[in-house]
Amino acid sequence: MSGTFVGMPSFPEAARAAVGDTTLRANLRHATHTIRDKRARAVAELDDWAALRRAGKEIKDRTLRHLDAYLLQLEEAVTAAGGTVHWAADAAEANGIVAELVKATGETEVVKVKSMATQEIGLNEHLEAEGIAAYETDLAELIVQLGDDRPSHILVPAIHRNRAEIRDIFREKMESWGRPAPEGLSDNPAELAEAARLHLREKFLRAKVGISGANFMVAETGTLVVVESEGNGRMCLTLPETLISVVGIEKVVPTWQDLEVFLQTLPRSSTAERMNPYTSMWTGTTDDDGPSAFHLVLLDNGRTDALADEIGRQALRCIRCSACLNVCPVYERAGGHAYGSVYPGPIGAILTPQLRGTASEIDASLPYASSLCGACYEVCPVAIDIPEVLVHLRERVATEGGKGHRLEKAAVGASTWLLDHPHALAAAERLASATRALHPKRLPGPGAGQWSRHRDLPDVPAEPFRDWWKRNRA
């Protein structure tokens, strides 16, 4: 399993294979429709939802404009509270820092809270290569890990699995990771949850090192916040002796008061709950309470580059609620794996190409993984205009002349020259009219041919308009 999915095919190729999987499509359809319907009801309960959405956007924008100052304030507050701050420019540096911190404890295993940032940098794979076992404790992440699978949803990583598949994974794989599944385990949700609880309990009680991400970091106090629904996060954040948190630099908010907005919008947009069952907050270390050592690894990994883009930077507002995935017609049919990133769906289509660049085939194809219907923008709790960013990134990809765009770029260049030279344009029009009987009904080639597969090319008139005009209106 890879956190970055290097070498995957472009989105159209991966999506074509996914669309043919009827079980996958049924799983996705049922799950996304259920989540989005519940979310709509939860949001409708608040008369001031539009005001909360606007406030979230403004807080995030203000923070991003002064991100350098807030990060330094955060570092000072964390250090004053007994924590240690590390700065990581990229995935390799972050992985190296975490591995060295774990080795310094003498431990060879860690428990993890669900973390998109650690998946982004491929931390589990790096720790495994260093002889350190990393155990996922979120139920869905556990399913993905046991199944040697990849997450396919921001909120529900195992959304592509049904109960029968999960039962089979538990029966076949749990024993090799620790406590085996109970005899006669069925696909009853309560039994599956109990099997996971028993399997994880021994890991919680044994582990000396915990690794987490964070939903928010409060600059004024150095407080980190994790919201979750199962309680596994609370166990990982309080029981180990050493806690290491890997967090993207965009997760900082200026004040405690700012949390008021996001702790209302995040649970309703993600799990359709009025508040999260578990909201854990910690500030540095405290004697005889919680971990005795706390390390915060602040991760850049392309975020500074995204911040420099005035249009693209709004992707950094994202609070990882996954609402955009649940309303996206493309995601519902293609699933998360087709995006080739830990960030699937509409937000992944604009965030991943900015973090990783558009040099690879999969990254260059992501801005096109959308119908531009705008449903993602309508549900986003921080008002990210995803369609605007998608069009912006498409322009970037086309300008760079990547695969599939070199011919387009050459055609646009030739057309520009032709339109700048009227006599040459007139000659081309006459030539096109004179040879119109030879024109094909479909464009050749894999690129242009795709466009005209279901369209007939328009017939060229027998006479150019300018010639007709001279004869009849001169």
Side-chain angles (χ1 to χ4, degrees):
M1 183 175 68
S2 171
T4 49
F5 315 153
V6 174
M8 280 196 63
S10 65
F11 179 85
E13 294 179 48
R16 189 176 298 115
V19 167
D21 188 334
T22 56
T23 301
L24 172 66
R25 291 188 61 178
N27 294 345
L28 289 169
R29 186 185 310 111
H30 172 73
T32 56
H33 283 228
T34 299
I35 296 171
R36 77 189 191 195
D37 291 345
K38 290 174 61 180
R39 175 206 168 272
R41 291 193 294 271
V43 166
E45 294 177 352
L46 295 181
D47 294 332
D48 61 344
W49 178 260
L52 286 168
R53 185 175 188 247
R54 184 169 58 253
K57 172 185 181 296
E58 291 172 354
I59 290 169
K60 281 290 190 177
D61 282 346
R62 183 177 75 251
T63 306
L64 291 173
R65 284 196 301 271
H66 306 287
L67 187 59
D68 54 345
Y70 287 124
L71 288 172
L72 292 175
Q73 183 184 9
L74 174 72
E75 179 184 33
E76 183 179 350
V78 170
T79 304
T84 303
V85 177
H86 310 262
W87 298 80
D90 53 28
E93 190 171 359
N95 286 333
I97 291 170
V98 175
E100 289 306 312
L101 289 174
V102 176
K103 288 178 181 178
T105 67
E107 297 296 317
T108 57
E109 62 180 26
V110 301
V111 289
K112 289 185 67 217
V113 186
K114 178 178 181 292
S115 165
M116 305 289 299
T118 60
Q119 292 173 358
E120 174 190 328
I121 63 177
L123 178 62
N124 287 10
E125 292 75 22
H126 181 82
L127 292 179
E128 182 181 5
E130 296 288 333
I132 301 166
Y135 298 117
E136 298 289 351
T137 64
D138 174 84
L139 177 56
E141 289 288 354
L142 173 66
I143 295 166
V144 168
Q145 186 175 52
L146 292 179
D148 194 26
D149 202 351
R150 301 191 305 270
S152 63
H153 192 277
I154 289 176
L155 180 67
V156 194
I159 195 173
H160 56 291
R161 296 290 193 183
N162 59 37
R163 292 184 302 173
E165 291 174 314
I166 295 169
R167 175 204 60 205
D168 293 342
I169 290 172
F170 281 8
R171 286 177 174 177
E172 296 169 8
K173 299 295 183 68
M174 265 189 170
E175 185 173 8
S176 61
W177 286 80
R179 179 170 179 150
E183 288 290 332
L185 179 66
S186 75
D187 63 358
N188 179 277
E191 289 189 33
L192 295 174
E194 178 65 8
R197 189 188 72 82
L198 294 172
H199 177 81
L200 291 171
R201 177 67 55 165
E202 63 179 29
K203 291 181 168 55
F204 288 135
L205 297 177
R206 186 176 68 236
K208 302 296 184 183
V209 180
I211 295 178
S212 81
N215 295 94
F216 307 102
M217 302 180 291
V218 183
E220 69 174 351
T221 60
T223 302
L224 272 70
V225 183
V226 163
V227 296
E228 39 108 10
S229 300
E230 300 169 14
N232 62 296
R234 183 70 55 84
M235 301 286 278
C236 290
L237 297 168
T238 56
L239 292 181
E241 297 172 359
T242 300
L243 175 60
I244 304 167
S245 298
V246 182
V247 191
I249 56 175
E250 82 281 12
K251 294 297 187 69
V252 67
V253 296
T255 68
W256 267 90
Q257 187 174 359
D258 297 325
L259 281 179
E260 176 190 357
V261 173
F262 300 114
L263 293 183
Q264 292 182 77
T265 55
L266 178 56
R268 290 177 187 268
S269 289
S270 55
T271 56
E273 295 169 303
R274 295 180 180 90
M275 65 180 292
N276 288 93
Y278 295 90
T279 300
S280 300
M281 303 182 182
W282 68 100
T283 307
T285 59
T286 304
D287 293 340
D288 301 321
D289 182 18
S292 57
F294 169 57
H295 297 270
L296 171 60
V297 181
L298 292 172
L299 176 68
D300 187 327
N301 203 38
R303 286 160 175 79
T304 300
D305 293 335
L307 186 63
D309 187 327
E310 292 187 2
I311 297 176
R313 74 171 59 152
Q314 57 185 301
L316 298 179
R317 289 187 212 142
C318 179
I319 57 175
R320 309 291 191 267
C321 71
S322 77
C324 61
L325 281 69
N326 300 324
V327 298
C328 178
V330 177
Y331 174 84
E332 180 186 324
R333 289 157 179 79
H337 292 162
Y339 293 82
S341 166
V342 298
Y343 304 110
I347 187 62
I350 65 171
L351 184 59
T352 301
Q354 295 191 83
L355 296 182
R356 298 198 312 216
T358 55
S360 72
E361 186 176 350
I362 180 67
D363 293 327
S365 70
L366 288 179
Y368 298 87
S370 171
S371 65
L372 299 180
C373 69
C376 50
Y377 171 64
E378 295 299 325
V379 299
C380 178
V382 286
I384 301 172
D385 194 340
I386 293 178
E388 178 188 33
V389 183
L390 285 167
V391 173
H392 171 66
L393 292 176
R394 289 180 185 187
E395 180 182 8
R396 178 191 297 179
V397 172
T399 301
E400 291 174 353
K403 182 178 180 180
H405 295 279
R406 295 184 182 91
L407 182 60
E408 175 188 6
K409 190 174 181 180
V412 170
S415 299
T416 300
W417 182 90
L418 194 61
L419 292 172
D420 283 341
H421 297 78
H423 293 296
L425 177 61
E429 290 172 346
R430 294 190 183 99
L431 178 63
S433 295
T435 59
R436 69 193 192 109
L438 305 176
H439 294 181
K441 291 294 184 182
R442 301 283 189 276
L443 291 172
Q450 289 286 346
W451 186 88
S452 64
R453 177 185 296 177
H454 303 292
R455 303 175 178 88
D456 286 339
L457 293 175
D459 292 329
V460 177
E463 180 181 27
F465 173 77
R466 68 181 67 223
D467 290 350
W468 177 91
W469 180 267
K470 287 179 180 179
R471 191 176 70 254
N472 292 279
R473 295 288 189 274

